Amino acid sequence: MVKKRSDVYSVEIYGTKDLHKTEIEDEEEKHKEQKGNKKKKKAEDLKKELDLDDHRLSPSELEMKYGTSIDKGLSSARAAEILARDGPNALTPPKATPEIVKFLKQMIGGFSILLWIGAGFSWISFGIQLAQGVDSAFDNLYLGVVLALVVILTGIFAYYQEAKSTNIMASFSKMIPQQAVVLRDAEKKELPADQLVVGDIVEIKGGDRIPADIRLIFTQGCKVDNSSLTGESEPQSRSCDFTHENPLETRNIAFYSTTCVEGTATGIVINTGDRTIIGRIASLASGVGNEKTPIAIEIEHFVYLVAGVAISIGVLFFIISVSMHYKILDSIIFLIGIIVANVPEGLLATVTVSLSLTAKRMAKKNCLVKNLEAVETLGSTSIICSDKTGTLTQNRMTVAHLWFDNQIYSADTSEDQTTQPFDQSSPSWTALSKIVTLCNRAEFRPGQENLPIMKRVVAGDASETALLKFSEVILGDVMSIRAQNKKVAEIPFNSTNKFQLSIHETDDPQDKRFLLVMKGAPERILERCSTIMINGKEEPLDSEKAEAFQTAYMELGGMGERVLGFCHLYLPEKEFPETFQFDTDSMNFPSSNLCFVGLLSMIDPPRSTVPDAVSKCRSAGIKVIMVTGDHPITAKAIAKSVGIISATSETVEDIAKRLNIPVEQVNRREATAAVVNGMELKDMSSEQLDAILREHSEIVFARTSPQQKLIIVEGCQRQGAVVAVTGDGVNDSPALKKADIGIAMGIAGSDAAKNAADMVLLDDNFASIVTGVEEGRLIFDNLKKTIAYTLTKNIAELCPFLIYIIASIPMPIGTITILFIDLGTDIIPSVALAYEKAESDIMNRRPRNKRRDRLVNQQLAVYSYLQIGIMQSVGAFVTYFTVYAEQGFLPSTLLGVRVNWESNGINDFEDSYGQQWTHYQRMYLQWTGYTAFFVSITIQQVADLIIRKTRRNSIFRQGLFRNKVIWVGIFSQIGIALILTYGLGHVTALNFTPLRFQYWFVAVPFAILIWVYDEIRKLLIRRHPGSWWDKNMYY
Amino acid sequence: MARNTSTSGMEVQLRSPSQKLENKHEEKVQDPNRGKDEPKADMGSKTWADLAGEMKIFLWNPEERTCLGRTAKSWGLILLFYFIFYTCLAGMFAFCLYVMLLTLSPYTPRFRDRVSPPGVMIRPYLNGFTIAFNVSQPNTWQPYVDSMHHFLAAYDDKVQEEKNIECVPGQYFIQAGNESEEKKACQFKRSLLQNCSGIEDPTFGYSKGQPCILLKMNRIIGYRPGAGVPVSVDCKVQKGNESHLRSVDFYPGNGTFDLMYYPYYGKFTHVNYTSPLVAMHFTDVQKDYQVPIQCSLNGKGIINDLNSDRFLGRIIFTLSIGK
């Protein structure tokens, strides 16, 4: 059994998979032998260390094992030797990717590589043209420089965004204690904690951080706070006794990085550095690969799509131009233009900005997003694995039920209670309230009189705090009541007695009797009682009343609540006069035949906002799974009260109970809910886990170890779900990292959890997640709009090149001009779409299907490219031909003129009217054409921006003016165009010229056409859902 | 404390699965293997054969009879849609251009701001602005001479007398009347070019190392150069030793463009218009030397010093005359 246990733990920490996987891998993949062996060795190494049996050994055996002496400690020489062997007691930081590598990755990722190719071609053609002595060679040099600048700037932008996300290991290293008191050479020394070695004898006192994993050999009132390791917030006492097979639960081991809350202890160091439990979790967390976020996948898909289009069109037209007997050099220059026109240079930056805007909006709603891409992930989440304590619940014990006079009363458990509504008229309640008030060692910290009771800080444990607050709410000033009933003797709670007892003077000056009050485990209290108080009268405790007690006790216990029994006894005045000296050691007073007064049960109640949030998740098609370390019964009770298990659904056990048949005979499919115990989970194969996750819609995992969380997350991910995980402890960090989106608690969360997470809930409130989901879904829709908007004009930028090549007309738009559209006029409008309100209730929709609902789907691309994009091109070409015609070049003249038009030598080029133009005059006209084309695209992009506000609804329903930022976008777009045209129109390098004002309006009819056409499209989509039109036109 | 009660309840749940523990252990060893393979297939480390297969199915799926993911009917519909869509767009495009062209006059472009002031060109113009030849090798200058003869064919005295009228020199030849009426053109006879007319010396001086170069001003509709004073031409060495260019003769009349040839009315009404020329006879240029020469127009309203446009009101060419 013992052996199996430790096996089980090795399984838990590393996951069965990894261990077996590595071994099998080794056998199968011999070509990877070397790497595999290393892996295998590491895995076995870890496994060996996990067979921790130090907690079972006696101190002398430990001395033997580690070659140390409890009285003298290690010798300095020996310590140095071990230090040299094991290395310092510190966590190894993960191999960080060098910053420069990260930076370079940004430089070649996404569209950058295409633009680099463009820049490269520009420089090559510059070189060739320079050698040939062509005057315009430098244009290509500049173009290359501009393209490189665009790549570098967007790269820096992306790098800066990435650099913001922090490194998980940072907080692990922060947790290392600075100094430790060590016994060496029979002397106490203060050493830096990283000098500790296995076998060292260390001393710890309250307030210290434990410097390594330590087997305790001497303790005095020692308590440790293991919250950073297990997430349990209550301090746990530590002693020298071996209390549990499981090294994680036995009392005689204290773990690295946890805190000693009170008392002192001495112990032998048994593990240091990476071999400590926390070190292993840290390595586990860093070993868990960060999954690509769904939006990253979508953007990658989009980049591939656009790059594919760019390359295919580029290559196609390269071939066409070569076969049309263009010079190779010219063909290469065309290729650059086609690439630049196709790549939406500004889009990735726009996406980043949109995401960070949403992140800011979410931060206002208490969702702090660390990893920008996680903003959308939350929107596509289909399963939330939520922690119970602190997230779903208030993380404080509160009195939930009372039982007296044979009746159960419910108490108010909301966050801001000021009164208690239950019937307080019974004299039994008076007696009970007195016991609750008096038999309590908890006190409010001073100076909090102005705070609401529920917010005050209390010195005392969780249950006593709950009782203190409960009585303060009902009775008012508890401290003065206690002062009036002076305490004369007290036996504090301990785990053997399981009760707490105190004796008080009464506040009635007439009554000279002492009042003995007692509380504790109900069955223990009942044992000591002979009577029971009913309606203020003591009645003998017969079997019928005892039965009533049992029923109430079971009922309260069955609700997952922590039940306490209360009893009292007025000591007879004769036997215990005023001067009587009570001695708690000899117990010179009765502690049996008391009068049972009542039961109080406490629970960590759910937050009031949670049930609503859970039902919202439901309607949004998100499955909420509770994963908790708590007891199944408590877990189930909370799950029921917040709606994770809905009122009507039953577990297999419930059905078995109802039908009175064995659990095995129940048809598992009938049960919608399931409560899975950690112990069951341990023995489950992944298929079984998958089956549970598939078959049950309402699942609670109770008694789970943190490592099982990881297994559950993996199980969910196998279903193809996008999984959000909440957590707060260090132990949660692997699961947080494994999850598609890890959500850490801002208040209760440990630093490691916060670092591993993608998002931090500042108020620890589950309801904030729902806000996040809503924002995430909205941003997905809006990014679709942004991308549709941005892609459209790419066609209007591309067509000029294609027609230029085929029809040999003067170039309609320049490469630099395209960059001014992509990185100038279009940026603010596309960001503005991120502010668009949802078209319909996005929270009534199912989460998007990762495989089917793509960010950029065929319909979006086709509609943007082949319909609106072409319309824009036509509009822009009308402007282009108008400009040329009004200057003397009628459209018919323009066809096929390219070679002569661009010739430097021909300075008497004849137009349609017989006038003659110098080369520069033609170029100036060409730039006017660029400007006109640019202005037309800008004007039509305004229409495009307006139609992209909605995908299905009419613009008029969405409201033209609701999103003010759109108007900022429109004005900025036109403003930038005005500045470029009239302000920079004289800088020849930019190829803008001051344009005649009327040309701004040539494309307006086409802008209107775009709007009208899109309204018709939307109308038909709404009128004929599911039709051919809907399928092909809805993106 | 109270937890004790709840654990008792928990154990009931626990018992049954824990009994299965032993026999399940075997399964468990194999499971990770399977669990590992699944994601691998999922990860998309597909072989090329798989990809090619998928591609094939995408190109032509025999089961669903789809090509590129669409059935014949679907393709038909979508192509029909785009046919109609693009036809409408093309119609709209054509209509817009038609309306725009309707607003234009066929005789005068709406704007002439970009084509004026006039640029300048020279003849002969073969492959650039370097005129290089060796006097002793006729084949080096013969192409220039041919080009000049060809260019001047339209200026033959006979042709000019036949088609054009004689005008009053020294004043603009303004022809009022309807825009669409045909305009008369003034005679510019080749003989006006005297030594450079190619009549007496059919080699235009090239055979003597004294080449003639013709200079013409770009035509601009309605443009009246010089505002009443004829525009004249002068030449100088552009960069370098000025003594390399010792003498230039200009024809006709000291190198001026007579006012009577302006304004120009456009090629539809001013059909026989021949641009006036100025011939430059480089009688004494440094031999065996590349002499860069800039010839500029001078007159009111003429711009000849724009850096960006080296052909506006001036022209730069190189003379390289060898023996």
Side-chain angles (χ1 to χ4, degrees):
Chain A
M1 183 63 196
V2 168
K3 186 125 201 312
K4 196 182 281 163
R5 276 284 182 172
S6 39
D7 266 346
V8 161
Y9 278 93
S10 72
V11 160
E12 271 193 19
I13 293 201
Y14 288 95
T16 14
K17 268 185 167 178
D18 291 324
L19 289 178
H20 295 286
K21 199 199 296 182
T22 20
E23 281 161 18
I24 290 157
E25 222 167 47
D26 286 343
E27 285 158 29
E28 286 175 356
E29 299 173 26
K30 279 182 181 151
H31 57 285
K32 283 186 182 173
E33 205 166 15
Q34 211 177 352
K35 198 182 162 195
N37 268 345
K38 219 164 127 195
K39 243 179 171 178
K40 184 178 177 181
K41 197 176 153 236
K42 196 179 161 201
E44 283 190 344
D45 210 23
L46 296 169
K47 195 177 172 187
K48 198 178 78 201
E49 282 162 4
L50 280 157
D51 293 334
L52 193 64
D53 57 359
D54 292 323
H55 54 303
R56 271 179 243 129
L57 302 179
S58 71
S60 51
E61 283 171 316
L62 285 166
E63 277 183 313
M64 286 275 289
K65 184 177 174 190
Y66 291 109
T68 184
S69 150
I70 289 172
D71 307 322
K72 291 185 189 149
L74 290 171
S75 69
S76 295
R78 174 82 187 128
E81 224 171 83
I82 302 173
L83 188 65
R85 186 193 68 198
D86 288 352
N89 174 31
L91 299 181
T92 341
K95 271 186 219 119
T97 328
E99 293 299 303
I100 185 75
V101 172
K102 281 193 213 161
F103 185 69
L104 288 178
K105 259 190 184 166
Q106 297 292 354
M107 291 287 159
I108 54 166
F111 294 122
S112 306
I113 197 86
L114 275 184
L115 293 179
W116 278 123
I117 293 172
F121 281 149
S122 302
W123 287 324
I124 291 170
S125 47
F126 161 69
I128 297 171
Q129 286 189 337
L130 194 69
Q132 290 175 346
V134 179
D135 283 351
S136 58
F138 280 90
D139 289 355
N140 284 320
L141 175 69
Y142 301 143
L143 179 61
V145 170
V146 168
L147 288 180
L149 269 180
V150 167
V151 179
I152 291 169
L153 287 179
T154 46
I156 288 173
F157 187 76
Y159 170 75
Y160 170 72
Q161 291 294 347
E162 201 199 74
K164 274 186 175 169
S165 51
T166 43
N167 192 336
I168 177 166
M169 279 311 273
S171 86
F172 281 107
S173 50
K174 256 192 274 164
M175 277 194 285
I176 293 177
Q178 296 298 303
Q179 297 287 321
V181 180
V182 190
L183 192 66
R184 277 199 191 159
D185 304 324
E187 264 178 71
K188 267 188 203 172
K189 287 180 187 167
E190 189 143 307
L191 285 182
D194 61 356
Q195 297 297 310
L196 287 184
V197 296
V198 168
D200 264 331
I201 310 295
V202 292
E203 280 185 16
I204 299 148
K205 58 181 191 308
D208 285 354
R209 263 182 172 167
I210 313 288
D213 282 358
I214 290 168
R215 161 70 160 88
L216 302 173
I217 46 175
F218 166 79
T219 58
Q220 195 172 34
C222 179
K223 277 193 173 178
V224 290
D225 175 6
N226 269 1
S227 63
S228 70
L229 187 63
T230 61
E232 296 286 323
S233 53
E234 266 180 64
Q236 293 163 350
S237 62
R238 280 291 175 260
S239 67
C240 315
D241 310 322
F242 163 52
T243 55
H244 204 285
E245 295 289 346
N246 179 352
L248 284 170
E249 284 185 25
T250 184
R251 288 226 173 130
N252 56 2
I253 290 184
F255 294 104
Y256 180 40
S257 91
T258 59
T259 326
C260 176
V261 185
E262 54 185 71
T264 57
T266 307
I268 301 177
V269 173
I270 53 172
N271 274 321
T272 58
D274 290 333
R275 290 166 300 278
T276 57
I277 297 285
I278 204 94
R280 281 179 222 150
I281 293 177
S283 64
L284 187 58
S286 60
V288 174
N290 237 337
E291 300 283 304
K292 254 189 199 152
T293 57
I295 194 76
I297 295 168
E298 290 305 321
I299 288 174
E300 201 169 77
H301 171 244
F302 158 71
V303 167
Y304 285 151
L305 194 134
V306 172
V309 170
I311 291 171
S312 343
I313 296 183
V315 169
L316 181 69
F317 274 82
F318 184 79
I319 294 167
I320 289 178
S321 50
V322 168
S323 52
M324 282 175 74
H325 304 296
Y326 281 99
K327 279 184 266 174
I328 297 287
L329 191 65
D330 286 342
S331 308
I332 288 176
I333 295 171
F334 302 157
L335 186 59
I336 301 168
I338 289 171
I339 290 174
V340 172
N342 256 309
V343 172
E345 288 84 6
L347 187 62
L348 296 187
T350 311
V351 169
T352 314
V353 172
S354 304
L355 288 175
S356 62
L357 284 171
T358 308
K360 269 189 195 153
R361 209 152 52 203
M362 284 164 80
K364 269 190 207 149
K365 294 173 182 168
N366 289 322
C367 290
L368 192 70
V369 180
K370 276 174 47 198
N371 173 4
L372 275 187
E373 287 167 354
V375 168
E376 191 278 327
T377 314
L378 205 49
S380 46
T381 296
S382 49
I383 295 183
I384 299 177
C385 290
S386 178
D387 211 14
K388 181 181 77 79
T389 315
T391 315
L392 298 173
T393 65
Q394 300 170 19
N395 195 19
R396 61 154 180 251
M397 276 294 169
T398 306
V399 175
H401 291 96
L402 304 92
W403 180 79
F404 54 85
D405 297 346
N406 264 334
Q407 204 178 334
I408 290 178
Y409 297 89
S410 296
D412 178 10
T413 55
S414 64
E415 282 95 333
D416 47 356
Q417 43 183 285
T418 45
T419 53
Q420 286 291 355
F422 66 91
D423 180 21
Q424 294 161 10
S425 56
S426 163
S428 305
W429 161 247
T430 320
L432 182 59
S433 68
K434 191 160 252 177
I435 309 171
V436 169
T437 313
L438 297 179
C439 189
N440 192 334
R441 282 154 56 94
E443 285 175 18
F444 288 111
R445 293 257 162 83
Q448 309 185 82
E449 286 73 16
N450 298 326
L451 285 176
I453 294 165
M454 299 317 277
K455 292 230 168 84
R456 292 187 202 167
V457 179
V458 175
D461 75 21
S463 323
E464 296 227 300
T465 305
L467 294 174
L468 173 65
K469 286 183 174 170
F470 181 66
S471 42
E472 180 88 9
V473 165
I474 296 175
L475 304 172
D477 194 353
V478 168
M479 288 310 164
S480 67
I481 299 175
R482 284 197 201 160
Q484 283 162 25
N485 297 272
K486 218 181 119 216
K487 194 192 285 175
V488 291
E490 178 176 46
I491 301 175
F493 181 86
N494 72 48
S495 48
T496 36
N497 288 343
K498 298 217 164 160
F499 69 76
Q500 178 181 349
L501 178 155
S502 59
I503 301 168
H504 299 262
E505 293 170 2
T506 60
D507 50 0
D508 183 356
Q510 309 301 316
D511 192 349
K512 293 294 177 206
R513 291 178 299 174
F514 285 104
L515 174 64
L516 183 151
V517 289
M518 187 163 154
K519 74 162 188 239
E523 65 276 14
R524 293 295 181 92
I525 297 295
L526 196 74
E527 280 168 17
R528 293 171 184 273
C529 294
S530 55
T531 57
I532 185 164
M533 183 176 278
I534 306 287
N535 295 327
K537 290 190 199 75
E538 286 186 27
E539 289 178 18
L541 187 64
D542 51 27
S543 60
E544 188 192 327
K545 297 210 170 61
E547 189 63 32
F549 159 86
Q550 278 300 341
T551 316
Y553 182 21
M554 290 311 290
E555 189 174 344
L556 295 178
M559 288 192 276
E561 296 178 0
R562 184 186 290 187
V563 192
L564 285 178
F566 294 83
C567 64
H568 73 183
L569 182 68
Y570 282 95
L571 299 178
E573 204 178 344
K574 277 176 252 163
E575 285 170 56
F576 301 95
E578 242 177 302
T579 51
F580 187 83
Q581 286 299 309
F582 292 95
D583 182 1
T584 53
D585 289 331
S586 63
M587 301 272 278
N588 58 352
F589 50 86
S591 63
S592 56
N593 291 327
L594 311 175
C595 170
F596 192 87
V597 181
L599 293 170
L600 246 71
S601 67
M602 284 161 292
I603 198 162
D604 179 9
R607 288 165 178 271
S608 48
T609 49
V610 170
D612 191 37
V614 170
S615 79
K616 267 192 190 157
C617 284
R618 274 271 157 73
S619 61
I622 302 170
K623 195 161 157 181
V624 183
I625 294 178
M626 183 198 271
V627 183
T628 175
D630 231 323
H631 295 267
I633 291 181
T634 319
K636 193 176 163 191
I638 294 292
K640 281 210 153 172
S641 66
V642 298
I644 287 179
I645 295 182
S646 47
T648 51
S649 56
E650 288 177 307
T651 64
V652 174
E653 289 78 16
D654 290 335
I655 296 176
K657 209 168 154 192
R658 177 166 55 87
L659 302 176
N660 212 4
I661 52 171
V663 173
E664 287 76 13
Q665 291 178 13
V666 175
N667 179 5
R668 293 198 159 259
R669 284 169 200 281
E670 273 176 34
T672 48
V675 177
V676 182
N677 195 300
M679 306 291 264
E680 295 173 72
L681 186 60
K682 210 174 285 171
D683 303 319
M684 256 177 219
S685 66
S686 42
E687 279 80 8
Q688 283 171 305
L689 178 61
D690 289 355
I692 286 185
L693 291 170
R694 241 189 344 262
E695 285 164 15
H696 302 287
S697 57
E698 299 168 347
I699 309 175
V700 171
F701 288 98
R703 268 289 179 213
T704 45
S705 73
Q707 287 70 30
Q708 286 176 329
K709 237 184 186 178
L710 192 60
I711 295 170
I712 295 168
V713 172
E714 281 169 348
C716 295
Q717 283 172 338
R718 271 199 302 277
Q719 315 282 311
V722 176
V723 186
V725 171
T726 69
D728 46 16
V730 173
N731 51 13
D732 292 331
S733 51
L736 288 175
K737 225 177 162 198
K738 179 73 200 171
D740 295 290
I741 177 167
I743 304 168
M745 298 299 124
I747 303 167
S750 63
D751 286 352
K754 284 183 201 168
N755 274 324
D758 305 297
M759 209 173 100
V760 179
L761 287 190
L762 293 178
D763 56 357
D764 289 14
N765 191 345
F766 184 80
S768 308
I769 298 177
V770 178
T771 328
V773 170
E774 201 168 350
E775 291 289 349
R777 290 184 173 191
L778 184 57
I779 196 67
F780 186 81
D781 282 6
N782 285 349
L783 280 182
K784 237 180 186 179
K785 296 172 184 174
T786 301
I787 289 176
Y789 168 78
T790 315
L791 283 187
T792 305
K793 54 115 197 324
N794 278 359
I795 283 297
E797 292 166 354
L798 181 67
C799 280
F801 277 94
L802 308 187
I803 294 184
Y804 164 77
I805 293 171
I806 294 170
S808 281
I809 54 170
M811 181 77 93
I813 191 164
T815 317
I816 303 273
T817 323
I818 289 174
L819 289 176
F820 271 107
I821 298 175
D822 287 0
L823 297 169
T825 54
D826 256 12
I827 292 285
I828 299 174
S830 45
V831 171
L833 282 170
Y835 288 91
E836 202 52 50
K837 299 275 181 302
E839 277 176 66
S840 54
D841 192 356
I842 43 179
M843 292 304 278
N844 278 333
R845 206 158 75 184
R846 297 197 60 74
R848 76 182 174 90
N849 182 319
K850 272 201 284 187
R851 296 210 181 83
R852 276 203 318 263
D853 308 334
R854 309 305 306 247
L855 182 64
V856 178
N857 51 20
Q858 189 204 332
Q859 287 87 340
L860 185 149
V862 166
Y863 182 68
S864 300
Y865 275 154
L866 296 185
Q867 298 184 29
I868 304 296
I870 296 288
M871 283 180 170
Q872 282 195 351
S873 311
V874 170
F877 266 108
V878 168
T879 318
Y880 164 87
F881 282 122
T882 307
V883 167
Y884 277 81
E886 295 199 325
Q887 288 286 358
F889 290 95
L890 299 179
S892 51
T893 324
L894 287 175
L895 299 179
V897 297
R898 190 191 68 93
V899 177
N900 286 341
W901 178 273
E902 288 176 359
S903 162
N904 268 317
I906 299 176
N907 282 289
D908 49 359
F909 187 90
E910 225 170 275
D911 66 16
S912 317
Y913 293 87
Q915 304 185 99
Q916 292 168 321
W917 296 66
T918 68
H919 178 252
Y920 182 81
Q921 284 169 338
R922 295 195 304 269
M923 285 304 115
Y924 195 89
L925 178 59
Q926 187 173 323
W927 298 334
T928 311
Y930 291 0
T931 313
F933 214 95
F934 162 82
V935 163
S936 305
I937 292 181
T938 308
I939 294 294
Q940 293 177 89
Q941 278 292 80
V942 171
D944 191 24
L945 182 63
I946 291 171
I947 65 165
R948 300 302 182 177
K949 279 164 68 78
T950 60
R951 294 186 293 147
R952 175 181 290 272
N953 288 346
S954 164
I955 295 298
F956 302 101
R957 203 181 138 192
Q958 181 81 350
L960 258 182
F961 300 97
R962 255 204 351 203
N963 179 359
K964 306 267 184 314
V965 189
I966 288 281
W967 289 95
V968 173
I970 291 175
F971 287 123
S972 79
Q973 195 166 22
I974 293 172
I976 292 172
L978 283 171
I979 291 169
L980 285 174
T981 322
Y982 298 111
L984 300 176
H986 300 284
V987 186
T988 47
L990 298 180
N991 300 348
F992 281 100
T993 63
L995 195 69
R996 282 200 159 75
F997 197 64
Q998 61 265 37
Y999 294 138
W1000 286 72
F1001 302 97
V1002 178
V1004 168
F1006 286 89
I1008 294 168
L1009 179 72
I1010 287 173
W1011 191 350
V1012 170
Y1013 176 68
D1014 193 63
E1015 278 296 322
I1016 293 171
R1017 177 189 73 97
K1018 288 168 186 163
L1019 183 75
L1020 289 177
I1021 286 173
R1022 293 196 301 273
R1023 285 278 166 82
H1024 306 286
S1027 63
W1028 178 87
W1029 184 268
D1030 186 20
K1031 273 186 212 140
N1032 283 286
M1033 297 293 169
Y1034 180 67
Y1035 56 89
Chain B
M1 289 181 281
R3 290 198 170 190
N4 291 349
T5 43
S6 38
T7 30
S8 63
M10 187 185 77
E11 270 160 15
V12 179
Q13 287 188 326
L14 257 182
R15 193 138 304 146
S16 50
S18 59
Q19 282 168 346
K20 297 178 196 158
L21 196 138
E22 264 73 29
N23 45 9
K24 268 184 193 165
H25 191 72
E26 286 173 8
E27 284 176 30
K28 200 169 155 186
V29 179
Q30 292 160 0
D31 290 336
N33 184 17
R34 235 177 290 162
K36 180 190 156 278
D37 285 348
E38 273 169 13
K40 201 178 172 189
D42 240 41
M43 292 301 263
S45 54
K46 293 169 194 157
T47 60
W48 285 106
D50 287 345
L51 270 178
E54 265 177 39
M55 204 63 203
K56 228 183 193 170
I57 292 290
F58 179 67
L59 286 176
W60 172 246
N61 183 342
E63 276 170 42
E64 294 173 26
R65 303 188 62 76
T66 58
C67 172
L68 300 171
R70 282 180 185 278
T71 59
K73 190 187 163 209
S74 168
W75 271 114
L77 269 173
I78 204 88
L79 290 177
L80 180 69
F81 169 79
Y82 278 103
F83 178 75
I84 296 169
F85 182 80
Y86 288 144
T87 309
C88 291
L89 264 186
M92 173 132 178
F93 177 70
F95 175 76
C96 284
L97 282 190
Y98 176 72
V99 169
M100 184 269 293
L101 291 176
L102 278 187
T103 67
L104 296 180
S105 144
Y107 309 107
T108 318
R110 176 160 295 152
F111 304 116
R112 275 157 286 170
D113 54 334
R114 297 270 60 102
V115 72
S116 60
V120 172
M121 241 338 234
I122 53 164
R123 289 291 182 274
Y125 172 70
L126 291 177
N127 290 315
F129 296 95
T130 301
I131 293 166
F133 61 92
N134 291 327
V135 177
S136 54
Q137 294 167 290
N139 64 320
T140 55
W141 47 258
Q142 197 57 47
Y144 296 112
V145 174
D146 292 346
S147 164
M148 297 276 274
H149 276 297
H150 179 75
F151 177 73
L152 286 176
Y155 293 86
D156 279 346
D157 291 12
K158 257 191 216 159
V159 177
Q160 287 292 324
E161 279 163 15
E162 225 170 79
K163 288 185 176 169
N164 296 340
I165 57 160
E166 271 186 75
C167 306
V168 189
Q171 65 182 61
Y172 293 121
F173 180 39
I174 295 168
Q175 305 175 58
N178 201 318
E179 203 186 22
S180 57
E181 274 175 35
E182 188 161 325
K183 303 292 189 293
K184 301 213 162 52
C186 296
Q187 291 177 0
F188 188 96
K189 292 181 183 167
R190 188 170 171 166
S191 54
L192 286 175
L193 301 177
Q194 299 171 23
N195 288 342
C196 288
S197 63
I199 299 167
E200 282 149 38
D201 177 6
T203 65
F204 298 96
Y206 283 78
S207 58
K208 295 174 201 144
Q210 295 175 327
C212 278
I213 290 173
L214 304 175
L215 188 141
K216 65 186 188 73
M217 188 162 52
N218 281 352
R219 292 195 292 256
I220 297 163
I221 292 174
Y223 184 67
R224 300 174 192 188
V229 184
V231 171
S232 64
V233 177
D234 70 7
C235 291
K236 60 176 197 282
V237 175
Q238 189 224 359
K239 239 189 277 172
N241 196 337
E242 300 213 347
S243 64
H244 287 162
L245 179 63
R246 285 179 284 269
S247 95
V248 192
D249 293 338
F250 296 95
Y251 319 105
N254 284 335
T256 53
F257 293 99
D258 200 292
L259 296 181
M260 66 179 173
Y261 298 107
Y262 303 98
Y264 173 58
Y265 286 101
K267 73 176 182 189
F268 296 111
T269 49
H270 223 160
V271 182
N272 293 321
Y273 182 83
T274 38
S275 295
L277 303 169
V278 166
M280 304 172 292
H281 197 193
F282 294 92
T283 47
D284 196 358
V285 181
Q286 184 74 28
K287 302 277 160 58
D288 294 330
Y289 223 87
Q290 294 214 333
V291 186
I293 294 165
Q294 169 173 313
C295 294
S296 321
L297 301 181
N298 296 296
K300 220 173 173 191
I302 298 285
I303 297 173
N304 57 17
D305 54 356
L306 200 66
N307 272 331
S308 50
D309 192 352
R310 298 196 298 165
F311 295 91
L312 195 69
R314 60 173 169 159
I315 190 157
I316 295 160
F317 55 91
T318 307
L319 273 183
S320 174
I321 307 165
K323 283 166 188 158

